Amino acid sequence: MSTAEWQTSFAERMHRFSPRKGSAEQRIIDYIHAHPEKAAFSSASAIGKETDTSDASVIRTIQKLGYTGMRDFREELRSVTGHTEPPVPASRDDNRAGERKRGMSARALYTELREMIVTGSLGHETHVTESQLAGIFGVSRTPVREAVRMLEQSGIVVRDHRGITTPKQTKTQVNELYDAHILLHSALAKRAAERRTDADLHTMRSMNEVMRRMPLEQAGSVEAKIANSRFHESVYDAARDRTLGTLLRQLTDRLDVWSGTTLDAPGRWIESLDEHDALVDAIEARDADSAIAIITQHLETARRIRLSLI
């Protein structure tokens, strides 16, 4: 398929979708149509930043266009544009490149790198150097070095003589992280049961419904992993405890950097969604004890599956 043919095909997808003019979905579609080569190597988070939308909105829009998820979408774009590697950064003499170099902070790089690692775009069990990362993002090594340092402190990456990579998982590490995960998540589930609002309940149920609408064969996809994270974050938000929420998100990042997922184990996808519904029911009833018991069982099952993958 040529670029022209893809544009025609994409226009047909847009016509079938018919997003509301001026909506977030329309902004996302307009951006993809105008920048297919850039979108071919962009995460949902990166496209969201370009269009002032959330990564969840990007993923939903991609699925409404008829793609199974971001991976399917990017693979089509890469085949259309003929690129298998990210575009070469602009030269140092290019004014726009200069603006990018000055404007991209270490914190912004940290966010981009974290997204690439968690979604698998950067690749697990591979090594990359600071120079290579600087080349990919078109920045100097200084903000890259600082971003990598923050990733190291979060336990998302480690260094060795070959460069930067994700940490190797061991059974001891898995058990330690799940022990801490269960303690913190139980505390947040209790607070959510005490502090939730009707809006919180609506958000939690909506997040789980997004997962139920996903095809069963998509249970092991990056999109399913992101949707699952969004559900659990809606529980954190309902608890209204910023400190516990921040700590739990950091632990979740450390779990997410490992390749593979517990969601595609036989029968686990539907079982997990049912446990989500039970958790929301307990939170709605303000039954903290039941909420703690449900989330504990939910995470213990995930622990057993994770340990079986090592």
Side-chain angles (χ1 to χ4, degrees), residues 142-202:
T142 300
V144 170
R145 188 177 299 114
E146 178 61 19
V148 170
R149 184 187 66 79
M150 289 189 285
L151 289 167
E152 284 184 285
Q153 290 179 338
S154 299
I156 299 175
V157 301
V158 294
R159 289 180 187 267
D160 60 25
H161 65 283
R162 290 179 292 174
I164 302 155
T165 188
T166 54
K168 182 180 179 180
Q169 60 177 316
T170 67
K171 290 188 176 182
T172 297
Q173 289 174 323
V174 168
N175 278 317
E176 287 177 354
L177 284 176
Y178 271 101
D179 284 344
H181 209 58
I182 289 168
L183 285 172
L184 291 177
H185 218 322
S186 295
L188 282 172
K190 178 178 183 295
R191 282 167 169 71
E194 296 167 346
R195 302 173 180 177
R196 60 80 177 163
T197 65
D198 289 344
D200 293 325
L201 294 171
H202 174 74

Side-chain angles (χ1 to χ4, degrees), residues 1-71:
M1 182 187 297
S2 66
T3 302
E5 289 172 331
W6 172 78
Q7 288 176 330
T8 300
S9 173
F10 194 72
E12 292 173 352
R13 289 176 184 262
M14 287 191 292
H15 179 70
R16 291 196 298 269
F17 180 11
S18 298
R20 180 171 53 82
K21 186 176 181 180
S23 65
E25 294 166 336
Q26 186 64 63
R27 295 200 302 276
I28 292 166
I29 289 172
D30 289 345
Y31 174 81
I32 293 168
H33 191 259
H35 307 283
E37 291 190 1
K38 190 172 181 181
F41 296 93
S42 294
S43 65
S45 177
I47 294 175
K49 288 177 182 177
E50 294 284 354
T51 56
D52 193 26
T53 59
S54 69
D55 51 354
S57 293
V58 174
I59 293 170
R60 284 196 300 270
T61 301
I62 293 299
Q63 291 173 338
K64 287 181 180 179
L65 286 169
Y67 298 97
T68 59
M70 289 298 294
R71 183 174 300 176

